[in-house]
Amino acid sequence: MKALLPLLLALTLGATSLKAQQTAEKFVLETKYLLALPEGYGKDTSQRWPLVIFLHGAGETGLDLNKVKMHGPPKLVEAGKNFPFILVSPQTASFGWQPDVLYQLLQSLKKQYRVDNDRIYLTGLSMGGFGTWALGMKHPEEFAAIAPICGGGDTANIWRLRYTPVWCFHGAKDEVVPLTSSQKMVNALKQYNSNVQFTIYPEAAHDSWTATYDDPAFYTWLLAQRKHRFQPVKVDAKTLAGYNGRYTNRKNDTLTITSNGTSLDVKAPGHTLQLKAASPTVFYWEASAPIDVEFTKTGFVLRAEEREVFRKIK
């Protein structure tokens, strides 16, 4: 009997493997959110609208969605404010925002509502400020601008926001989230991005959001931003030909660049990418996130990773 059991198990597994099929499925974490549609949303079904995602703070965490109405844009809507954009205010049931969950929510919103994909904005306060930085850095390709309020985060991937307009806010007397939390993020980002504003309220403590969300100038700035898109330009053949050659980085990865008359072809083992010109020295290839290279006298800088340098092999 002992010898028969392994044999039966093997036969059973073998028979199962012959018949087994796999299908693609997905697990979706339920996320509740408040929705406010702009006036006129239902009239012209061809019109696309800006989308603002608001992330609440730690005090509004839980399962009671009404708590999200305590601060920020949802509070203003509850008081009768009509915004000229779709406002979505999700609620997290546990402490901290999960960028992957928010990203899936955003993809669902874009399918369900008439969203202008070039005008998607992200903002949040306190814990939501941290969430705004985190989601913005993980998926900069989604947002036309972000506005974190009294938040902070890890600066390791701050470079990914190099093309995203950012307006950051903080109270100078904040004892819950120190002012330095925002200062660290802003200072790091300014190395890569000149389109960064930082407003410090000299007398404000942790509540630096009421003044921000009550200010019409904030919404004027937000809605004026558009998602970054490279605009192709024509570069003369001589300039393009000057980039021909072999390049290597400190890991000894080798790439070959050749001009095809209107753009550049980059060849790596098993791959060929086409680089289009955004300027005589900055080139890009089409991807979901902005990926670009900048040529220098000695080689080029790849910005798919944080300033990875390739030198030209003579």
Side-chain angles (χ1 to χ4, degrees):
M1 184 69 179
K2 289 182 179 179
L4 182 60
L5 185 59
L7 177 60
L8 289 174
L9 183 59
L11 290 173
T12 302
L13 290 175
T16 302
S17 64
L18 291 175
K19 299 178 181 178
Q21 293 184 345
Q22 297 186 84
T23 58
E25 305 291 342
K26 65 179 179 179
F27 171 75
V28 179
L29 185 66
E30 182 181 78
T31 302
K32 294 182 179 180
Y33 59 88
L34 295 172
L35 171 69
L37 296 175
E39 270 188 65
Y41 180 85
K43 294 179 181 178
D44 183 356
T45 56
S46 65
Q47 182 176 353
R48 300 239 163 219
W49 295 83
L51 167 65
V52 174
I53 297 177
F54 165 74
L55 305 181
H56 65 71
E60 294 74 67
T61 299
L63 300 175
D64 181 2
L65 197 54
N66 287 315
K67 292 170 67 176
V68 181
K69 301 175 184 177
M70 291 179 62
H71 302 294
K75 177 183 179 181
L76 297 175
V77 170
E78 191 68 7
K81 176 75 174 178
N82 291 312
F83 286 116
F85 51 76
I86 301 168
L87 174 64
V88 169
S89 307
Q91 183 181 42
T92 177
S94 57
F95 184 83
W97 288 100
Q98 299 179 49
D100 291 341
V101 173
L102 291 171
Y103 177 74
Q104 292 300 325
L105 171 63
L106 175 55
Q107 303 316 303
S108 176
L109 295 173
K110 291 195 293 185
K111 293 177 182 178
Q112 191 170 355
Y113 304 105
R114 297 197 306 277
V115 174
D116 181 346
N117 289 333
D118 285 335
R119 301 179 73 195
I120 299 176
Y121 310 100
L122 180 64
T123 185
L125 61 90
S126 194
M127 184 180 80
F130 281 84
T132 297
W133 282 115
L135 180 58
M137 286 187 288
K138 188 158 190 180
H139 290 287
E141 73 279 4
E142 294 288 349
F143 302 106
I146 68 169
I149 303 175
C150 56
D154 186 349
T155 61
N157 289 316
I158 198 78
W159 63 274
R160 291 176 58 81
L161 289 168
R162 64 195 182 281
Y163 294 118
T164 305
V166 176
W167 195 352
C168 181
F169 303 84
H170 216 115
K173 298 180 179 180
D174 193 334
E175 296 182 353
V176 178
V177 179
L179 174 61
T180 52
S181 294
S182 284
Q183 285 177 324
K184 175 186 70 174
M185 303 299 287
V186 170
N187 291 341
L189 182 55
K190 281 185 175 180
Q191 299 177 55
Y192 309 98
N193 186 348
S194 61
N195 196 355
V196 183
Q197 299 184 61
F198 188 22
T199 295
I200 302 173
Y201 299 104
E203 299 302 320
H206 191 45
D207 181 4
S208 49
W209 55 82
T210 298
T212 300
Y213 291 129
D214 283 352
D215 186 357
F218 169 71
Y219 301 100
T220 299
W221 172 84
L222 197 67
L223 296 176
Q225 311 308 312
R226 298 291 188 278
K227 184 187 296 186
H228 171 80
R229 294 189 186 278
F230 285 109
Q231 299 299 320
V233 301
K234 187 175 181 180
V235 175
D236 63 271
K238 183 178 179 180
T239 299
L240 291 174
Y243 300 132
N244 290 346
R246 295 172 65 240
Y247 297 79
T248 186
N249 63 3
R250 61 183 179 181
K251 303 174 191 173
N252 292 321
D253 299 321
T254 302
L255 304 173
T256 301
I257 294 181
T258 56
S259 167
N260 59 28
T262 58
S263 57
L264 299 174
D265 290 331
V266 180
K267 294 182 181 179
H271 298 282
T272 299
L273 296 171
Q274 185 183 61
L275 288 176
K276 298 180 179 179
S279 78
T281 57
V282 175
F283 290 71
Y284 69 98
W285 62 88
E286 310 219 339
S288 57
I291 300 175
D292 56 302
V293 302
E294 181 177 6
F295 285 92
T296 66
K297 292 180 179 180
T298 58
F300 67 82
V301 177
L302 172 66
R303 294 197 181 111
E305 297 180 15
E306 185 178 0
R307 297 191 64 80
E308 185 175 1
V309 176
F310 280 76
R311 58 181 176 82
K312 195 170 187 177
I313 303 173
K314 295 182 179 180

